[in-house]
Amino acid sequence: MSAAERQLLVKNPDALGPLVELVDRLLELTHASGRLDLSGRLGIARARLTDPRVRLVVVGESRSGMSTLVNSLVGAAVSATEGRPSVPVIAEYGPKAAATLVKAGPGGTAERTPVDPQQALAELASGEVIRAEFTQPSPLLAEGFVVLDAPGSPGDTPATWSLIAAADAVLYVADARAPFTPAQIEQLQRIRQVCPTVVCVLNKIDQYPQWPQVQQHDRQLLDDAGLAFAVAPASARLHEHAAAQHDEQLDLESGVPQLLEHLRSYVLGRADTVAIQAAVRDIALITDHLALALRSEAETLRDPQRLTVITEQLRRTREEAEQLRQRTANWQVTLADGAGELMADTEHDLRHRLRSLIRDAEADIMKGDPSKGWADFGADLDAKICEAVEENFVIAHYRSVELAEQVAAKFPESGIPTPDLKLDNPGDVGAVLEPVAALDKLDSSKTVVTQQFLTALRGSYGGLLMVGLITSLLHMSLVNWYSAGAAVLLGVHALWEDRKTRRQRRQAEAKVAVARLMDDVIFQVSKESRYRLRAVQRSLRDHFTEIATATLRSVDASLRAAEEAATVHSGAGREARLTEIERSLVRLREIRESADALGENPAY
């Protein structure tokens, strides 16, 4: 990749460049002081600042023109506009157009197959493809956006929630025919819980002249719900016509250029702000650690008689830092209790969702004969199970973020950074549920014509014999019109009763099959959920233990510096060291003040 192309992949050099320079300057000081632990944290902060990716997830209701809008944003056909949504599509920057189809392999593995971009859309509808990845030399993608086209509404497609959890921003698409429904407002409220940066797009304004009134009504609905989201009018189809005719005025009327500009200014700006705030917190924490040792050494050099007072203060601080590393520390208790509650709440939520599915499935089974459409019933139940598990994982994710914030609040210092728990790789529910066996077939659904014939014959024989014997008292033959009619009537009744009994048996068997399937799902998903939450607990424990350890190392370094300073007897040596320390403290103060200024004014 050329230097010009690499420059395109920077989010906003004007906003992030000065902060990266501050991080580099602070890295020099941490290396000079021998604090490799602090250098490692700064390296992570620098990588986060220079990460060009801004993941934009596009979701919306069916028939809202979402796929057409995605193609307009990317500037190429990467999303199928015909037929129902099928699989997620990911589009990112590349110097040449390319496409890769990710297909399900044996044992839950994923197989990547490069294909021609022109032919990729035709293969998305096949059941083997689980994701499509495109690279395009698009201006929007070159600015750092990665566009993820979710397959349908969050309420209809379970995989959409994992994409939203991995997003830096969400583009919610609805057509301009009518204002948001209560269900859509509820969806937007849930989306905000997972990803706070949301932009609503009112699509197809060329087809609905009432769109200004709809836009105004939507804004009022969002305000009433406490959702401060922008509502941008657009017409992806009008944008396509304008591009084909090279009509700039028509393109402006489509609203797509204004939407692109809003994404650049608002979404990129918010992404920069989040990255800047995290880096500023890291810089403040690390400058405090470095300054502690330097100030202790400087005070001892100025007045060696105060060594006892300084060391006593540092030892008390060391005891406090050591207590932070103990299992009885407040943050350790909060983490342990919170992780236990999180696991219990997550499992309860999963069981509640699956119990609701069992009740709904049993109600559907009792409506009729389950053997009719059993395969479709199983496919629909599998989709609902995937959706329930997906939502359960997403809830566990943002509850984990809340737990991290609660633990950080237990530290005496303010502004303790929390680890990045973003779902960089959205959970593949299909892989989690791979070991779960399919819904059992109904053995009792197999009916043989011979059995039905014999059942009807037995009923007819009883009716014929019973009525024939009665009519024989009237000197009539055993087989007559009355006995024949009774035979037909009781034969039909016996056949109807047999079918009713068989249907009840199939319903009972279907309920057992559903219960067995749900038991397997609970067993498998509970195991996966506990594994994920334990990984979150370990990540939080390691993160905050590292912070506590860094504090302890800083205090130890301060003690050593103070003791070494007390042994310096030469006046010239003392003054030279004081000058050097003052210079380092000035540099730290300048870095801290510059970082604080950038944090208060990200557009600096």
Side-chain angles (χ1 to χ4, degrees):
M1 186 180 294
S2 66
E5 289 172 343
R6 284 195 299 269
Q7 181 67 20
L8 282 174
L9 289 176
V10 178
K11 287 180 183 175
N12 188 346
D14 294 334
L16 299 183
L19 196 56
V20 173
E21 182 182 351
L22 291 178
V23 171
D24 290 338
R25 288 167 56 188
L26 190 56
L27 272 171
E28 295 178 3
L29 295 176
T30 56
H31 285 306
S33 62
R35 295 298 303 275
L36 298 181
D37 55 327
L38 300 181
S39 299
R41 176 171 291 278
L42 275 178
I44 296 174
R46 192 183 193 285
R48 186 167 55 239
L49 285 173
T50 56
D51 184 2
R53 296 175 300 171
V54 176
R55 287 159 290 195
L56 177 67
V57 175
V58 184
V59 300
E61 301 295 329
S62 60
R63 303 183 184 278
S64 62
M66 180 177 62
S67 298
T68 306
L69 180 63
V70 169
N71 293 337
S72 297
L73 295 177
V74 175
V78 297
S79 184
T81 56
E82 301 294 336
R84 298 183 60 186
S86 52
V87 298
V89 173
I90 302 174
E92 57 184 337
Y93 177 79
K96 294 182 180 180
T100 301
L101 299 181
V102 182
K103 300 181 180 181
T109 60
E111 298 178 350
R112 303 172 60 85
T113 306
V115 296
D116 186 271
Q118 303 296 329
Q119 301 175 354
L121 296 182
E123 299 186 31
L124 293 184
S126 66
E128 298 179 353
V129 179
I130 59 177
R131 186 173 68 251
E133 300 175 355
F134 290 85
T135 59
Q136 289 287 339
S138 163
L140 180 69
L141 302 181
E143 295 181 29
F145 279 101
V146 177
V147 178
L148 296 91
D149 181 14
S153 168
D156 300 331
T157 310
T160 300
W161 282 111
S162 61
L163 295 177
I164 293 174
D168 295 303
V170 172
L171 206 63
Y172 187 86
V173 184
D175 61 39
R177 177 179 52 186
F180 290 140
T181 63
Q184 288 176 306
I185 294 295
E186 184 180 355
Q187 274 190 5
L188 286 168
Q189 289 174 327
R190 293 187 60 197
I191 289 173
R192 184 184 63 174
Q193 292 179 323
V194 182
C195 179
T197 306
V198 180
V199 178
C200 298
V201 177
L202 208 60
N203 198 16
K204 301 183 179 180
I205 59 174
D206 58 321
Q207 300 180 23
Y208 304 105
Q210 73 274 20
W211 71 263
Q213 292 78 16
V214 174
Q215 182 188 29
Q216 184 176 2
H217 195 176
D218 283 342
R219 284 174 175 165
Q220 184 62 44
L221 290 173
L222 292 173
D223 289 341
D224 294 342
L227 302 173
F229 299 156
V231 182
S235 172
R237 199 167 297 278
L238 196 62
H239 174 73
E240 289 182 349
H241 293 324
Q245 300 173 9
H246 303 286
D247 190 335
E248 295 184 1
Q249 183 60 35
L250 186 63
D251 195 21
L252 289 175
E253 293 177 5
S254 73
V256 174
Q258 294 90 324
L259 175 61
L260 290 171
E261 184 60 31
H262 182 71
L263 292 177
R264 293 185 178 99
S265 60
Y266 176 71
V267 176
L268 280 181
R270 281 184 65 89
D272 292 343
T273 300
V274 171
I276 287 173
Q277 291 174 348
V280 168
R281 288 194 298 268
D282 287 333
I283 289 175
L285 184 67
I286 291 171
T287 52
D288 287 343
H289 282 304
L290 293 178
L292 178 62
L294 293 174
R295 290 195 187 99
S296 301
E297 184 179 359
E299 289 179 11
T300 306
L301 287 172
R302 292 191 185 98
D303 187 2
Q305 303 300 324
R306 295 189 69 244
L307 176 63
T308 304
V309 177
I310 294 172
T311 53
E312 182 62 27
Q313 292 175 347
L314 290 174
R315 285 194 176 94
R316 285 198 299 268
T317 305
R318 190 186 191 285
E319 290 177 359
E320 295 174 357
E322 184 65 37
Q323 289 176 359
L324 286 176
R325 301 179 62 199
Q326 303 299 323
R327 292 185 179 274
T328 56
N330 286 337
W331 73 268
Q332 292 271 23
V333 175
T334 301
L335 176 58
D337 292 345
E341 293 175 1
L342 178 57
M343 290 183 186
D345 292 346
T346 301
E347 183 152 357
H348 178 270
D349 177 80
L350 174 66
R351 290 181 178 273
H352 173 71
R353 292 176 185 276
L354 295 183
R355 281 178 182 270
S356 299
L357 289 183
I358 291 175
R359 288 193 293 267
D360 294 342
E362 289 180 347
D364 291 339
I365 288 172
M366 295 305 295
K367 290 179 181 178
D369 190 347
S371 63
K372 298 177 180 178
W374 183 246
D376 294 337
F377 175 84
D380 183 61
L381 183 60
D382 288 343
K384 291 179 179 178
I385 290 173
C386 286
E387 181 178 0
V389 173
E390 191 75 35
E391 292 180 354
N392 178 259
F393 283 171
V394 171
I395 288 175
H397 166 67
Y398 67 73
R399 283 284 306 276
S400 300
V401 176
E402 292 177 355
L403 177 59
E405 295 172 351
Q406 293 171 5
V407 174
K410 296 299 179 181
F411 278 74
E413 301 92 346
S414 60
I416 292 295
T418 57
D420 185 9
L421 297 177
K422 182 175 287 296
L423 274 73
D424 291 320
N425 296 312
D428 186 358
V429 175
V432 174
L433 297 176
E434 182 71 24
V436 177
L439 189 65
D440 294 340
K441 295 181 179 180
L442 299 180
D443 295 333
S444 61
S445 63
K446 300 176 182 179
T447 56
V448 182
V449 177
T450 305
Q451 294 177 347
Q452 295 180 343
F453 175 74
L454 291 176
T455 300
L457 186 61
R458 283 193 295 268
S460 300
Y461 176 74
L464 179 69
L465 185 61
M466 180 177 62
V467 177
L469 289 175
I470 294 174
T471 56
S472 65
L473 298 176
L474 301 175
H475 306 289
M476 297 177 65
S477 62
L478 184 64
V479 179
N480 54 63
W481 287 106
Y482 298 103
S483 62
V488 172
L489 181 62
L490 291 181
V492 172
H493 177 72
L495 184 60
W496 180 80
E497 285 290 340
D498 179 71
R499 289 183 176 178
K500 180 180 177 182
T501 302
R502 288 180 179 274
R503 183 176 69 251
Q504 291 175 346
R505 190 182 304 129
R506 284 192 290 269
Q507 289 173 341
E509 186 180 347
K511 290 181 180 180
V512 172
V514 170
R516 187 182 296 114
L517 174 65
M518 291 302 182
D519 286 341
D520 290 345
V521 171
I522 290 175
F523 175 78
Q524 182 64 30
V525 177
S526 296
K527 176 184 174 183
E528 177 67 21
S529 181
R530 286 193 295 269
Y531 172 78
R532 293 186 178 203
L533 292 177
R534 287 195 185 99
V536 169
Q537 184 181 8
R538 286 193 294 270
S539 176
L540 294 177
R541 183 196 61 203
D542 294 344
H543 172 79
F544 290 109
T545 300
E546 182 183 351
I547 291 178
T549 302
T551 303
L552 185 62
R553 288 176 180 172
S554 297
V555 176
D556 287 338
S558 301
L559 279 169
R560 288 194 303 271
E563 292 170 353
E564 292 174 0
T567 62
V568 178
H569 302 291
S570 171
R574 184 182 298 112
E575 291 298 325
R577 180 56 183 161
L578 273 173
T579 302
E580 184 180 352
I581 291 174
E582 289 294 337
R583 189 179 298 114
S584 297
L585 286 173
V586 168
R587 293 178 63 186
L588 287 174
R589 185 168 58 252
E590 290 176 349
I591 292 173
R592 175 71 177 270
E593 291 174 353
S594 299
D596 290 341
L598 286 174
E600 294 173 359
N601 183 18
Y604 171 77

